[in-house]
Amino acid sequence: MGGVSDADALAELAVRRGFYFGSAGAYGGVAGFYTFGPQGAALKRNVEEAWRETFTTRLGNEEIAGPTVMPEAVFEASGHLDGFDDMLVACAECGESHRADHLVEDATDVEDAESLPVPEIEDLVADHGIACPDCGTALAGRSVEEFNLMFETAIGPGDGEPGYLRPETAQAIFVEFPRLKEYARTQLPFGVTQIGPAYRNEISPRRGIVRTREFTQAELEQFVDPDDDDPPLETVADVELRLYPGAEQERDGGSYLTRTVREAVEEGVVESAWVAYFLGVAREWYDRIGVDGDRLRFRQHLAGERAHYASDCWDAESEVGGGVDAAALAADPTAGRWIEIAGFSDRGAYDLSKHAEHGDEPFTLFRQYDEPREVERTTVDPDMSVLGPEYGSRAADVAEALRALAERDPSAFDDGSVTVAVDGSPVTVASDVANVSVETVTEAGEHVRPHVVEPSFGVDRTVYTLLAHGYREDEVDGEPRTSLALSPTVAPTAVGVFPLVSNDEALVDLAESVARSLRAAGLSVTYDESGNIGRRYRRQDEVGTPLCVTVDHEGREGDGPVTVTVRDRDTTAQVRLPAEGLADRLAAVVDGDRTFAALREAGAAVE
Amino acid sequence: MGGVSDADALAELAVRRGFYFGSAGAYGGVAGFYTFGPQGAALKRNVEEAWRETFTTRLGNEEIAGPTVMPEAVFEASGHLDGFDDMLVACAECGESHRADHLVEDATDVEDAESLPVPEIEDLVADHGIACPDCGTALAGRSVEEFNLMFETAIGPGDGEPGYLRPETAQAIFVEFPRLKEYARTQLPFGVTQIGPAYRNEISPRRGIVRTREFTQAELEQFVDPDDDDPPLETVADVELRLYPGAEQERDGGSYLTRTVREAVEEGVVESAWVAYFLGVAREWYDRIGVDGDRLRFRQHLAGERAHYASDCWDAESEVGGGVDAAALAADPTAGRWIEIAGFSDRGAYDLSKHAEHGDEPFTLFRQYDEPREVERTTVDPDMSVLGPEYGSRAADVAEALRALAERDPSAFDDGSVTVAVDGSPVTVASDVANVSVETVTEAGEHVRPHVVEPSFGVDRTVYTLLAHGYREDEVDGEPRTSLALSPTVAPTAVGVFPLVSNDEALVDLAESVARSLRAAGLSVTYDESGNIGRRYRRQDEVGTPLCVTVDHEGREGDGPVTVTVRDRDTTAQVRLPAEGLADRLAAVVDGDRTFAALREAGAAVE
């Protein structure tokens, strides 16, 4: 593997063959918004479906679909309203806006400028004489503004209520936890997934579909018992991971650690067993959809990158720069151009706590004890005939304060008197007026706030990775050829079907019936009868179709069964096979149960 | 069919069993935004997949995925910026906003108030003493405002550029026509589909998922040759349609016309053959996904409802009110509560013309002639040695005006002199200075602007229709039962699999292996071992699972092959079948190739 990819050649192919292109080109385009053409939309759907199969169905989770527009209160709670900012500096001369932290990182040896306060960034811009990258005017003295990356809108008539396009799909899951736990029959652990659009009003969208303003996320929120739950680690214990821990990133000449999931947990390289488990599941999934393992790594967030609530966080990164071979990439983690394609983080109780604080629900779950427990509970029954005359209209509040205190700190009533605060003033009451009693009650369980472990995937970047890793230029019969070595799992078309010529009715009929039988077997088929056969192969090669079936005269000659030829995209090798039973044989190759080489041994090779 | 559905009971079931619920309930909710829970998200996905299979794959179209946020220029061209308004009147007393046209329709016999100008609506509100429906205060004298229904946002840093959440998926197709025609190899007719979110900032969202602010559309834009293309009508010629033409709607005691697609076209009941074709395809599709044919009709838009550019427009409507039986519904088109679930319109060249006018592309397609044509073309080659001295710096503009005139109206040069306008002033030039010549050129084809026929489906309303038509209350063994008679094509779960008891390891193992084999056959399976068997059946009945398989002790007794029982949701009838080969048999029922009754005959009935 490890083909050479060229970003420009890939972008050209993407537009020409309908994978993706900048939207609204007839109106000059709008940066950061892309349209997936027929091929790209199919590839993207197949990636989503493969993700669903693994992260929803196979792991036994449930998928929901929430709205993309959500009210302000949700993002007040989540912290996005205050904290989801980029630092922006606008040039006085040309008016262009830039990420101030990026300018500082480029001009200085500061590595994580985003974490610095604004005044410090302003000073760094001035001290290092940083200039506008567009027009060269000095930016010293320009104010750096915090720019919120959420798209804002207004919901409802008139001026409406503020609403925002969700910056991540996750919030549409967290905020519905009170219902989702019911659907999971209030049993931990349970996982909820969502695949859908998310939005970030990036200041400088760039690199095609790698950094866009509207993108698709596939997220799993795994709700786990903070005390009890372990992941089913054994299912992925032996999966090997290429890990790039924080310590290795910070060490001069640091290198990758290759560990199985089990080793990574046992050695503490990955702190959270749940995170390690999902790294293993992800590694197998990337394999299945055709990500090149030599160009994939799991990189731990450095302390400065990590959200304050995340106790451990790793990114999946893919290498998409090309031009560096597998051995060199393995030897030097700083070689190549890597992009983040997924994040795995242990978010603790942060999200549900925040929503409990801001919302009207407790965001907890009732966890049954294995056996009911007897607990002593202190209750008070204040004597209102005493409190009434003494505190008048405040008597009820005093009684309430005593009840709350009994729940919070029963031992406070051990002395002769207790003091509670009512409307901010201390009130002291004799203990016996409170009528303290201790009863033994049976409790079936307790309310707990689940922790959340989140694997979060960028679908567009995954698609980009598959194209970059699959891109090939070679020669066939002395002619240059471009092809995409896409996995049959995700290729837009599984099988191309052609009659050798389009003016022979018998061949056309037969080809059409082959196409029908393959479709009936669940394979995605493209039927093509236009242009010479070589050109049709090239068309399918360019969109990554793994197999092509050609119906020719030879296959209908003689008394034997009708045969067709099947061609393999990557080797261009061909084999002649009976038309009968073809669907099952090709489905086996597409499903990965059989190789093309095995198919070739079973049939008559075609030279 | 024709079960009784109750909107409240359905809404309760939808929330309790995870079909859908109002979003962000912990924050008091936000009107018009819904979250699809696990069952609803699966049902909705299956509806989308079934739509894709019919309207994209089977019809040979291509699907794309465009962004949901689009720049203002697109909606200037499409007319949404100016024309996509609701008339709004706000109560002076309580501040609540209302649709002024709806208030007028409710209070008067005006039927299509939306088409009236604002001052007339204001007069009608005053003249009829219309009051605020919430607080009863008179609305006379309050101004009626046009309120644009698009959600607005800002793209990019600073104040940004205005952008809008697309009010329909269609524009994301129209605007990319210049590229999409290339992917279709510039051959008409071709169709492009898209399934995705669309947004309307409704003033009064209501009735659950029937009128929301964020919803999912499935749209097909069929680009056809304005002169040549006919639909493949024969494929649906005999499909029967219940039609409710405009004339019948306007006639006292008007009734439905039942016509095949062929008859509808031949008799001119449906004017556009393409529209009639899509009505036929839709009718078959609705059948397949389980819409009750007795509660489905196609209603023609009245002149006032129709967009000015649509030459013919029909809606698919479903009856969701319940309480009216099939015979009464058939007899009286005004009975029942109907909602629009799809629209079919012949949009002519409107959309592409608008984008050609506003955008930088011609939005045409080069149509090759069957044979190249010889045409005479008049050209001019103005004598600059004459024009130069006479017109100085304007000479080039005069020459250009002469060239343009020759293209537009060659006969203008037949006289001795011609007059052209340059910068608004007339300029008269002797014909021979223009050097007119006529040459014969060969043209391979011409540029044409395709027409668009659009079937547009509301996915959420289709989901609502399936729930309303499937909702059943009956009695089983003397106990009340709620069930959903969903088609196996769209049911969230195809087969429930249970071990009779959960504490027998052999039964559990066997049930799990049955579940695995069914999943491997592509069936969606829910495995459940909690609670008594009756309760597990009820759970699956409520979410519309057509078949349940129970693994019991009896099936493992004796020397014969292992057997299991299969239960039918609607009849609760059971049959005992061998575990071996079960997947194929159940898949045949789920795919509609075999009935449960036939399955029952093949096995041993269970009482």
Side-chain angles (χ1 to χ4, degrees):
Chain A
M1 299 288 284
V4 174
S5 82
D6 174 308
D8 291 338
L10 190 59
E12 187 275 331
L13 179 69
V15 173
R16 181 163 50 80
R17 294 313 312 274
F19 284 95
Y20 57 83
F21 51 84
S23 297
Y27 292 97
V30 47
F33 293 94
Y34 281 78
T35 296
F36 285 87
Q39 301 297 337
L43 174 57
K44 180 166 173 280
R45 263 198 326 276
N46 293 345
V47 168
E48 290 171 7
E49 191 53 41
W51 191 91
R52 176 174 291 126
E53 228 172 278
T54 295
F55 289 90
T56 307
T57 312
R58 192 157 67 77
L59 299 191
N61 297 320
E62 301 272 23
E63 179 173 349
I64 70 162
T68 58
V69 177
M70 301 179 76
E72 187 166 57
V74 171
F75 301 111
E76 255 166 11
S78 72
H80 286 92
L81 203 59
D82 279 341
F84 193 56
D85 298 321
D86 269 356
M87 281 182 270
L88 199 66
V89 59
C91 173
E93 185 64 27
C94 73
E96 201 56 40
S97 290
H98 306 281
R99 285 277 300 262
D101 51 334
H102 286 177
L103 296 182
V104 165
E105 284 169 11
D106 292 348
T108 69
D109 51 9
V110 174
E111 275 184 3
D112 186 31
E114 210 178 349
S115 63
L116 299 178
V118 164
E120 216 166 301
I121 294 287
E122 287 175 340
D123 289 349
L124 283 164
V125 167
D127 294 351
H128 288 79
I130 294 175
C132 172
D134 284 20
C135 74
T137 307
L139 294 168
R142 300 291 297 165
S143 67
V144 170
E145 309 282 346
E146 299 266 20
F147 175 68
N148 194 291
L149 296 184
M150 287 195 295
F151 284 100
E152 186 176 354
T153 190
I155 302 170
D159 291 334
E161 298 292 322
Y164 297 86
L165 300 190
R166 62 185 185 194
E168 54 180 18
T169 63
Q171 294 304 325
I173 296 177
F174 295 141
V175 78
E176 306 304 352
F177 175 81
R179 285 202 195 286
L180 298 175
K181 73 174 181 189
E182 299 298 330
Y183 303 147
R185 301 189 205 157
T186 69
Q187 294 289 318
L188 289 175
F190 71 90
V192 179
T193 65
Q194 191 174 201
I195 303 176
Y199 305 81
R200 295 185 192 180
N201 200 358
E202 297 282 355
I203 293 164
S204 328
R206 52 186 167 165
R207 284 156 65 180
I209 56 172
V210 170
R211 186 185 295 276
T212 59
R213 286 171 168 157
E214 175 172 351
F215 48 96
T216 299
Q217 286 187 317
E219 297 195 303
L220 160 59
E221 308 306 325
Q222 179 78 42
F223 297 100
V224 304
D225 191 312
D227 307 317
D228 264 356
D229 288 332
D230 287 320
L233 210 59
E234 64 286 357
T235 56
V236 291
D238 298 323
V239 174
E240 269 201 355
L241 306 172
R242 178 189 281 181
L243 299 167
Y244 194 23
E248 292 298 318
Q249 295 168 54
E250 284 167 339
R251 185 168 74 83
D252 266 353
S255 62
Y256 293 129
L257 305 183
T258 300
R259 297 288 185 276
T260 64
V261 171
R262 182 190 293 113
E263 291 164 351
V265 173
E266 283 174 1
E267 297 175 22
V269 181
V270 179
E271 200 182 302
S272 153
W274 275 102
V275 167
Y277 165 69
F278 286 126
L279 297 186
V281 175
R283 178 67 181 83
E284 288 199 312
W285 182 70
Y286 283 131
D287 239 19
R288 187 157 87 82
I289 63 170
V291 170
D292 181 350
D294 289 334
R295 298 167 76 186
L296 176 70
R297 69 182 182 191
F298 296 98
R299 189 182 69 78
Q300 188 177 27
H301 277 205
L302 297 173
E305 290 176 86
R306 202 156 64 204
H308 60 92
Y309 50 82
S311 62
D312 199 10
C313 189
W314 292 73
D315 283 346
E317 295 186 333
S318 66
E319 202 280 326
V320 297
V324 184
D325 73 21
L329 283 176
D332 178 9
T334 65
R337 208 184 68 176
W338 296 84
I339 59 171
E340 173 193 346
I341 55 175
F344 303 80
S345 64
D346 182 343
R347 305 173 63 109
Y350 175 81
D351 306 283
L352 297 187
S353 300
K354 282 301 204 177
H355 286 301
E357 209 175 284
H358 288 77
D360 301 330
E361 299 266 359
F363 288 82
T364 54
L365 176 145
F366 188 72
R367 177 175 63 189
Q368 213 133 15
Y369 295 133
D370 291 339
E371 302 205 341
R373 295 184 192 169
E374 310 254 292
V375 293
E376 292 197 337
R377 187 182 287 157
T378 303
T379 57
V380 296
D381 181 18
D383 186 344
M384 297 310 282
S385 69
V386 176
L387 294 182
E390 195 160 345
Y391 297 104
S393 63
R394 294 166 66 214
D397 291 344
V398 172
E400 189 47 46
L402 290 170
R403 282 191 198 97
L405 179 62
E407 205 166 302
R408 205 166 62 239
D409 178 15
S411 65
F413 293 86
D414 293 350
D415 297 334
S417 68
V418 290
T419 301
V420 290
V422 176
D423 292 338
S425 322
V427 169
T428 300
V429 178
S431 290
D432 54 0
V433 171
N435 266 334
V436 179
S437 62
V438 176
E439 28 181 4
T440 302
V441 294
T442 304
E443 288 187 343
E446 63 187 327
H447 294 274
V448 294
R449 177 154 299 136
H451 283 195
V452 171
V453 184
E454 176 194 81
S456 166
F457 291 72
V459 174
D460 313 74
R461 290 179 173 200
T462 305
V463 165
Y464 186 81
T465 298
L466 296 178
L467 294 174
H469 289 190
Y471 188 86
R472 301 278 184 281
E473 289 177 1
D474 60 4
E475 280 201 1
V476 172
D477 300 334
E479 300 265 322
R481 173 178 83 141
T482 304
S483 67
L484 283 176
L486 296 178
S487 148
T489 308
V490 297
T493 293
V495 189
V497 176
F498 322 134
L500 184 65
V501 293
S502 64
N503 56 3
D504 179 325
E505 210 177 307
L507 281 194
V508 168
D509 284 353
L510 181 56
E512 285 178 345
S513 94
V514 166
R516 269 196 305 277
S517 73
L518 297 179
R519 283 197 185 105
L523 296 170
S524 64
V525 170
T526 294
Y527 176 85
D528 188 0
E529 56 175 51
S530 93
N532 72 53
I533 195 76
R535 206 163 143 190
R536 283 181 267 169
Y537 283 140
R538 295 302 168 85
R539 266 190 216 128
Q540 296 304 320
D541 288 344
E542 278 194 338
V543 298
T545 304
L547 299 170
C548 286
V549 173
T550 299
V551 177
D552 58 10
H553 299 289
E554 200 183 330
R556 302 183 63 251
E557 281 166 4
D559 298 330
V562 173
T563 60
V564 299
T565 67
V566 180
R567 172 184 176 272
D568 175 52
R569 174 195 61 208
D570 297 335
T571 58
T572 74
Q574 297 190 36
V575 59
R576 185 169 287 282
L577 292 172
E580 205 180 315
L582 186 69
D584 285 346
R585 287 182 154 151
L586 297 194
V589 174
V590 168
D591 293 344
D593 297 334
R594 206 167 176 192
T595 62
F596 180 80
L599 204 66
R600 208 163 180 228
E601 278 164 30
V606 179
E607 297 313 319
Chain B
M1 301 289 283
V4 174
S5 83
D6 174 306
D8 291 338
L10 189 58
E12 186 275 331
L13 179 70
V15 174
R16 183 164 49 80
R17 294 313 312 274
F19 284 96
Y20 57 82
F21 51 84
S23 298
Y27 292 97
V30 47
F33 293 93
Y34 281 78
T35 295
F36 286 87
Q39 300 297 336
L43 173 57
K44 178 165 173 281
R45 262 199 325 276
N46 292 345
V47 168
E48 290 170 7
E49 191 52 41
W51 191 91
R52 174 174 293 127
E53 226 172 282
T54 296
F55 289 90
T56 307
T57 311
R58 192 156 68 78
L59 300 191
N61 297 321
E62 301 272 24
E63 179 172 349
I64 69 162
T68 59
V69 177
M70 301 180 75
E72 187 165 55
V74 171
F75 301 111
E76 253 166 12
S78 72
H80 286 92
L81 202 59
D82 279 341
F84 193 57
D85 298 321
D86 269 358
M87 281 181 271
L88 198 66
V89 59
C91 174
E93 185 64 25
C94 73
E96 200 56 40
S97 290
H98 307 281
R99 285 277 299 261
D101 52 333
H102 286 177
L103 296 181
V104 165
E105 285 170 11
D106 292 348
T108 69
D109 52 10
V110 174
E111 276 184 3
D112 184 32
E114 207 177 352
S115 62
L116 299 177
V118 164
E120 219 166 298
I121 294 287
E122 287 175 338
D123 289 349
L124 282 164
V125 168
D127 295 351
H128 287 80
I130 294 175
C132 172
D134 284 19
C135 74
T137 307
L139 294 170
R142 298 292 296 166
S143 67
V144 170
E145 310 283 345
E146 299 267 21
F147 174 69
N148 194 291
L149 296 184
M150 286 197 294
F151 284 99
E152 187 176 353
T153 190
I155 302 170
D159 291 336
E161 297 293 321
Y164 297 87
L165 301 190
R166 63 186 184 193
E168 54 180 19
T169 62
Q171 294 305 325
I173 296 177
F174 295 141
V175 79
E176 307 304 350
F177 175 81
R179 286 204 195 284
L180 298 175
K181 73 174 181 189
E182 298 298 331
Y183 303 146
R185 300 188 205 159
T186 71
Q187 293 289 316
L188 290 173
F190 71 90
V192 179
T193 65
Q194 190 173 201
I195 304 176
Y199 305 80
R200 295 185 192 181
N201 199 359
E202 297 283 355
I203 293 163
S204 326
R206 53 186 165 165
R207 284 157 66 180
I209 55 171
V210 170
R211 186 185 294 277
T212 58
R213 286 172 167 156
E214 175 171 351
F215 48 97
T216 299
Q217 286 187 317
E219 298 195 303
L220 160 59
E221 308 305 326
Q222 178 79 42
F223 296 101
V224 305
D225 191 312
D227 308 316
D228 264 357
D229 289 330
D230 287 322
L233 210 58
E234 64 286 356
T235 56
V236 291
D238 298 323
V239 174
E240 269 201 353
L241 305 173
R242 179 189 281 181
L243 297 168
Y244 194 24
E248 292 298 318
Q249 294 168 55
E250 283 166 338
R251 184 168 75 82
D252 266 354
S255 62
Y256 293 129
L257 306 183
T258 300
R259 296 288 185 274
T260 64
V261 171
R262 183 191 290 111
E263 291 164 353
V265 173
E266 283 173 1
E267 297 174 22
V269 181
V270 179
E271 201 183 302
S272 153
W274 275 102
V275 167
Y277 166 68
F278 286 125
L279 297 186
V281 175
R283 178 69 182 84
E284 288 199 313
W285 182 70
Y286 282 132
D287 240 20
R288 188 157 84 83
I289 63 169
V291 169
D292 182 350
D294 288 335
R295 299 167 75 185
L296 176 70
R297 70 183 182 190
F298 296 97
R299 188 181 71 78
Q300 187 177 30
H301 276 204
L302 297 172
E305 289 176 88
R306 204 156 61 203
H308 61 92
Y309 51 81
S311 63
D312 199 9
C313 189
W314 292 74
D315 282 345
E317 295 187 332
S318 67
E319 203 280 324
V320 296
V324 184
D325 72 20
L329 282 178
D332 178 8
T334 65
R337 207 185 67 174
W338 296 84
I339 58 171
E340 173 193 346
I341 54 175
F344 303 80
S345 65
D346 182 344
R347 305 174 63 109
Y350 176 79
D351 306 283
L352 297 187
S353 299
K354 283 301 202 179
H355 286 300
E357 210 174 281
H358 288 77
D360 300 330
E361 299 267 358
F363 287 83
T364 54
L365 176 146
F366 188 73
R367 177 175 63 188
Q368 213 133 13
Y369 295 132
D370 291 337
E371 302 202 342
R373 294 182 193 172
E374 311 253 290
V375 293
E376 292 195 336
R377 187 182 288 158
T378 302
T379 56
V380 295
D381 181 19
D383 187 342
M384 296 310 283
S385 69
V386 175
L387 295 183
E390 196 160 346
Y391 298 104
S393 64
R394 293 166 66 214
D397 291 344
V398 173
E400 189 47 44
L402 290 170
R403 281 191 198 98
L405 179 61
E407 205 167 303
R408 203 166 63 239
D409 178 17
S411 64
F413 294 85
D414 293 348
D415 297 334
S417 67
V418 291
T419 301
V420 290
V422 176
D423 291 340
S425 324
V427 169
T428 300
V429 178
S431 292
D432 54 2
V433 171
N435 267 335
V436 178
S437 62
V438 176
E439 27 179 5
T440 302
V441 294
T442 304
E443 288 187 344
E446 63 188 327
H447 294 274
V448 294
R449 175 153 300 135
H451 282 194
V452 171
V453 184
E454 175 193 82
S456 166
F457 291 72
V459 174
D460 313 75
R461 289 179 173 201
T462 305
V463 165
Y464 185 82
T465 299
L466 295 178
L467 294 174
H469 289 190
Y471 188 86
R472 301 279 185 280
E473 289 175 3
D474 61 4
E475 280 201 0
V476 172
D477 301 332
E479 300 267 322
R481 174 179 82 141
T482 304
S483 67
L484 282 177
L486 296 178
S487 149
T489 308
V490 296
T493 293
V495 189
V497 176
F498 322 135
L500 184 65
V501 293
S502 63
N503 55 3
D504 180 325
E505 209 178 309
L507 283 193
V508 168
D509 284 353
L510 181 55
E512 286 178 345
S513 94
V514 166
R516 268 196 304 278
S517 73
L518 297 178
R519 284 198 185 105
L523 297 169
S524 63
V525 170
T526 294
Y527 176 85
D528 188 359
E529 56 175 50
S530 93
N532 73 54
I533 195 77
R535 207 166 143 190
R536 282 180 266 169
Y537 283 140
R538 295 301 168 83
R539 266 190 216 130
Q540 295 304 320
D541 287 346
E542 278 195 338
V543 298
T545 304
L547 299 171
C548 286
V549 173
T550 299
V551 176
D552 59 8
H553 298 287
E554 202 182 328
R556 302 184 63 249
E557 282 165 5
D559 297 330
V562 173
T563 61
V564 300
T565 67
V566 180
R567 171 184 176 273
D568 175 51
R569 174 195 60 208
D570 297 335
T571 59
T572 73
Q574 297 189 38
V575 59
R576 184 169 288 281
L577 292 172
E580 204 179 317
L582 186 70
D584 285 347
R585 285 180 156 154
L586 298 194
V589 174
V590 168
D591 293 344
D593 296 335
R594 204 167 176 193
T595 62
F596 180 80
L599 204 65
R600 207 165 182 227
E601 278 164 32
V606 178
E607 297 313 323

